Amino acid sequence: MAARGGRALLALCGALAACGWLLGAGALEPGAPAAGVRRRRRLQQEDGISFEYHRYPELREALVAVWLQCTAVARIYTVGRSVEGRELLVIELSDRPGVHEPGEPEFKYIGNMHGNEAVGRELLIFLAQYLCNEYQKGNETIVKLIHSTRIHIMPSLNPDGFEKAASQPGELKDWFVGRSNAQGIDLNRNFPDLDRIVYVNEKEGGPNNHLLKNLKKIVDQNTKLAPETKAVIHWIMDIPFVLSANLHGGDLVANYPYDETRSGSAHEYSSCPDDAIFQSLARAYSSFNPPMSDPNRPPCRKNDDDSSFIDGTTNGAAWYSVPGGMQDFNYLSSNCFEITVELSCEKFPPEESLRSYWEDNKNSLVRYLEQIHRGVKGFVRDLQGNPIANATISVEGIDHDVTSAKDGDYWRLLVPGNYKLTASAPGYLATTKKVAVPYSPAVGVDFELESFSERKEEEKEELMEWWKMMSETLNF
Amino acid sequence: MGFLWTGTWILVLVLQSSPAQAFPKPGGGQENKPGESNYSFVDNLNLLKAITEKEKIEKERQSIRSSPYDNKLNVEDVDSTKNRRLIDDYDSTKSGLNHKFQDDPDGLHQLDGTPLTAEDIVQKIATRIYEENDRGVFDKIVSKLLNLGLITESQAHILEDEVAEVLQKLISKEANTYEEEPNKPTSVTESQAGKIPEKVTPVAAIQDGFTNGQNDETVSNTLTLTNGLERRTKIYNEDNFEELQYFPNFYALLKSIDSEKEAKEKETLITIMKTLIDFVKMMVKYGTISPEEGVSYLENLDETIALQTKNKLEKNVTDNKSKLFPAPSEKSHEETDSTKEEAAKMEKEYGTLKDSTKDDNPRGKTDEPKGKTEAYLEAIRKNIEWLKKHNKKGNKEDYDLSKMRDFINQQADAYVEKGILDKEEANAIKRIYSSL
C-alpha cells in the first residue's frame, strides 16, 4: 500500500510536471473534441457543402466533386508539389476554364499558407462548392462573375503544415505547430524582400514595379526558397493576375501593403503608392464581414494592440512589420494587387464553428471578387491592331505602373476620380488619355501606339508632301 | 533553493556509500512513467526555452505575449542556473562538495563525518521534501541522477519507494510541525545558492509581492497571488484540512471517506491535492501562469475532482490520478483553456487520446470510399441535369453526351497524370459516364 501510494505520488508529480510544462507553453488554442467526424458528415451538409475540416485526401475529393458537378466552368490543376509531395491544388472557375480570354481579368485566392491557420483553407473549399452551386442555380451575380473573370482558388499553399497541425490531439492545436512548411520555413517570410529594394529606389531613383529582372533565373537559382514559394512565384509569372487575397488566421482584419516598415521599426504606417485603392479593397472585404468590421469588437486577446485597425482594415506595417511576405511580393514583382485577410482569432477553431465562419465570410469573399471589375482596363495595340505585350501603363500621380499581358490587355484598379493614363512601350511613342473613373464597373480605354519607325515614315511623307507643294508653287 | 541543496547532499551520500549498501531493500517493478515524465519535464523546460528563443525571432504576437514570455525566460534562467549548479555539484572532482556538507548545520553526517545509514538518508530526503514543500524537486533530482548514470533505474525506484513511504508518514504525523522548519533550510540555501536569489529577483521584480511567509523565503515577500489563492495558502499553512475547505467538493469527498481501510486513500488524496496546489503556486511564482489562471485552474480542478474521484474511489489510486484530468468542460475563457490542454496532455500521457480530426480510421476506411463515390455520383448527376437544361436542342442531346464522355475521359486521364485523380477514381468516373 505504501509502495502503491509512493508510485501514485510520483506518477502524480510526473503528471504535474507535464502540466507545468503545458501551462507554461503559452497561448494554446482549444480545438474541438471532434469525435465522429465521419458520422457528422451527413448531418453538417448543406447543399453539398460539408462544414468539416478537410485533410489532404478530403480536400482533393472536394475539389474533384466540384469539378464533376461543374465541368463546364471548372478545372483543377496543380502549381507544384509541397516538400512532402502533396499537390498544391487549384480549382479554376470561368466560362472557358483553362483559357485566358483576352480582356478577362484573373483573380486568385490563396489559403492556409500557414498550415495551422485553418479557416481560410476550409472557406475556400466551401467557396468553390458555393460558386458551382450558385452558378447552376442561375444566381446572376455569380454567373456574371464566372463569365467575366477567371477565378483561381488554392485552398492550401501549405498542405504539409496543415497535416501537422491537424494531427495535434484534441485541444492542443496551437499557435505554432504546423505553421511552417515541412522544412520549417515560414512561407510568408520566404519571398524575396522587394520592399527593401523599392524603399531604396524611392530615395535614389529606380523602378517602382516588376522589380525582379530575370525573375525566373533568380527564382530557380535561389536555394533558400521553399518549393511552395517557388511554385507560387512561377504561378504569378505565368498568369497575369490582377487581384488576389491571401487568407490567414490569428486575428480578424483585412491587411494591405506595405507590410514592411520603411524605417525598419516594429510598426509604422508604410503606405504604398496605391494606398487609396488598397484601403478601398480591404474595406470591400471587411465591410461585409460583421465581426471584422464591428467597431465595438474587443481585440482577439486582451493585450492585443489593434490601434492600427480602422473599419476592420489595417496597413500591414502599421500593425507590425513583415519582411519577405507574399502580399508585397505580388505588388512589387507583378501587376497583382494582393491583400492579406485574417479570418479568425483562433488559428484552428473547433469544427463546429466552421459553418458560422462561412456565414460571416461568404458575402465578403464574393464582394471582394467583384472588386476586380473596377478602375480602367483595355488593350494596348499598334496601329495595325496587333497587341503590344509588356507595354507600360502609368497613371499620373501614382508612382506604380502596370504592364500589358500577352494579348496586349491590361487592367488598372483605381478609386473613383479623374486620371491621365499613359501607355508606352520600347520603340513606340507614348500616348496619354484622360479618363473619368467611377466606383465600378471598369472603364474601357484602349491605346493605339505608333512606333518610331512609323512616325519616321509619316514625317518623311509629310516632308515630301510639303516639298511637292512648295515645288509646284514655286515652280521648281 | 531548497531542492538544489537537496540535490547536493543526495549526490554526496550516493557517492559516499556504495550503491548496493545504500538500498538494502530490493526494488519492485515500477512503472516508468513518473521517472520518464520528470525526465521529459526537464527536457521540456529546455524545449520551452528553445521555443521561447524561436519565438523571439518569430514575429507573431510578440507584444501581447511579452509578459508571460519574459517570465518564461526568467524561469529558464532560474532553472538553467539550477541545472548547471546540479551538474557542477555532481562533478565529484570538484572540491567544493566537501565544503558544502561541512557547512550543514542539520548534521547530514554523523558528528564523526561518517555517512548516514540508508534509512537516515531516506528520512532526510523525505523530511527535506516535506519541509521544502516541493515534491517535484525529488523527481527532478532522481532523473538527473539517472541521466548522469550515477544510479540505476532500480535504485531510483527503491529510493522513490523509500522516500514516499516516509513522506506519507510525515504527512500524517508531522503536518503541523513543518511550518517551523523552513527558516533553517532556506537560510542555509541562501548562503549556498548564491546565484539563485539574484536570478530570482528579476522574476520577483516583474510580479507583485507574494506574501507567503511560511514557504520559500528566498522567493517570498515578492510575489502575490490574487486574494483567493493567498487566502487559501495562508490557511493551508495552519491546518491540513482547513485549507482544503476552499475546495468544497474535494473536502466533502474527504469527509466521506471514513472507513479505516480507505484511510490511506484519503491520505494520498490529500497529498495529491496539496502537491497540486504547491505546483500551481510554483507556476505562478515563476510567472508561467498568471495568478488568475492559477486560481481558476484550481477552481476547475475542484469541480472535476468531485466528479471523477467519486466514481473512482473504489478503484486503485493510480486510476484516480489519471481521471483527475478528464475531458474538459465547455468553457471558453483563456484560463479554462489551459486546463483543457492539460487534460488533453494527461490523457495522451496515459495513452487514451486519439487524433481528434480523424476518427476511427479502420472503421472509417469502409465508409470513406462509399462517401466519396456517393459524392462523385451526386456531383455527376447534378452536372448532367444542368447540361440537359442548358442544351435543350432535341437530338443534339445525345451528341452532347458522347462529346461529354470523351471530354471527361480525356480530362480524367490528364488528371491522373498530374496526380489530381487516382487511377481508380478516374476509372469509376469514366464508368459512370459510359453508363449514362
Side-chain angles (χ1 to χ4, degrees), chain A residues 4 7-8 10 13 16-17 21-24 28 34 55 60 68 71 76 166 169 179 303-304 320-321, chain B residues 30 41 44 59-61 64 72 139 164 276 288 316 321 341-342 345 353 356-357 383 404 415 420 425:
Chain A
R4 195 155 57 111
R7 257 206 302 278
L10 287 150
C13 289
L16 288 172
W21 173 74
L22 257 187
L23 279 175
L28 299 176
R55 301 290 285 262
R60 195 184 54 80
L68 285 173
T71 49
I76 303 176
R179 173 190 173 85
N303 297 327
D304 277 1
Y320 62 94
S321 186
Chain B
Q30 275 262 356
F41 174 58
N44 284 337
K59 253 246 53 195
E60 301 290 353
R61 314 316 302 160
I64 53 147
K72 257 185 252 148
D139 303 296
L276 278 167
T288 314
N316 193 303
K321 265 195 323 326
E341 282 122 27
E342 282 168 57
K345 179 80 177 178
L353 185 68
S356 67
T357 62
N383 193 19
M404 191 72 204
Y415 282 359
I420 295 167
E425 285 175 322

Side-chain angles (χ1 to χ4, degrees), chain B residues 28 55 79 91 143 148 167 175 185 235 237 277 304 315 317 323 325 332 338 394 407 414 416 420 426 435:
Chain B
E55 285 162 7
D79 283 349
D91 182 2
S143 68
L148 292 165
L167 202 49
I235 306 291
N237 296 329
I277 297 164
T304 48
K315 293 188 186 175
V317 168
K323 295 299 184 293
F325 303 94
S332 58
S338 60
F407 172 70
V416 170
I420 295 167
S435 70

Side-chain angles (χ1 to χ4, degrees), chain A residues 5-20 23, chain B residues 34 38 41 126 129-140 163-164 167-168 171 178 215-216 229 233 236-237 240 243-244 247 250 254 265-285 289 294 297-298 301 305 317 321 324-325 342:
Chain A
R7 257 206 302 278
L9 175 62
L10 287 150
L12 176 67
C13 289
L16 288 172
C19 292
L23 279 175
Chain B
N38 291 318
F41 174 58
I129 291 172
Y130 194 85
E131 289 167 0
E132 296 301 321
N133 221 3
D134 201 355
R135 293 167 186 83
V137 159
F138 174 77
D139 303 296
K140 264 202 255 182
V163 171
L167 202 49
Q168 292 245 308
I171 289 165
Y178 87 99
N215 294 328
D216 293 333
L229 197 54
T233 46
Y236 169 43
N237 296 329
N240 268 356
E243 166 234 4
L244 298 170
F247 299 88
F250 184 69
L254 285 182
E265 305 273 2
K266 195 174 183 178
E267 274 173 37
T268 316
L269 283 171
I270 296 165
T271 311
I272 289 166
M273 197 58 183
K274 281 196 197 151
T275 314
L276 278 167
I277 297 164
D278 295 343
F279 208 92
V280 171
K281 271 165 33 190
M282 205 162 75
M283 287 296 113
V284 173
K285 252 186 244 172
I289 57 173
Y297 168 68
L298 291 171
L301 202 56
I305 285 170
V317 168
K321 265 195 323 326
L324 277 176
F325 303 94
E342 282 168 57

Side-chain angles (χ1 to χ4, degrees), chain B residues 5-23:
Chain B
W5 181 238
T6 314
T8 310
W9 53 258
I10 285 180
L11 170 70
V12 166
L13 296 167
V14 167
L15 287 177
Q16 288 277 341
S17 48
S18 79
Q21 289 167 8
F23 306 98

Side-chain angles (χ1 to χ4, degrees), chain A residues 271-293:
Chain A
S271 60
C272 72
D274 281 291
D275 194 58
I277 181 69
F278 270 114
Q279 284 195 29
S280 177
L281 292 169
R283 231 172 233 119
Y285 193 98
S286 68
S287 58
F288 286 89
N289 179 324
M292 197 181 281
S293 52

Side-chain angles (χ1 to χ4, degrees), chain B residues 298-326:
Chain B
L298 291 171
E299 280 171 342
N300 288 332
L301 202 56
D302 183 47
E303 286 167 26
T304 48
I305 285 170
L307 275 169
Q308 295 298 323
T309 52
K310 265 179 197 150
N311 298 337
K312 297 295 173 183
L313 200 52
E314 316 80 47
K315 293 188 186 175
N316 193 303
V317 168
T318 51
D319 286 345
N320 271 353
K321 265 195 323 326
S322 63
K323 295 299 184 293
L324 277 176
F325 303 94

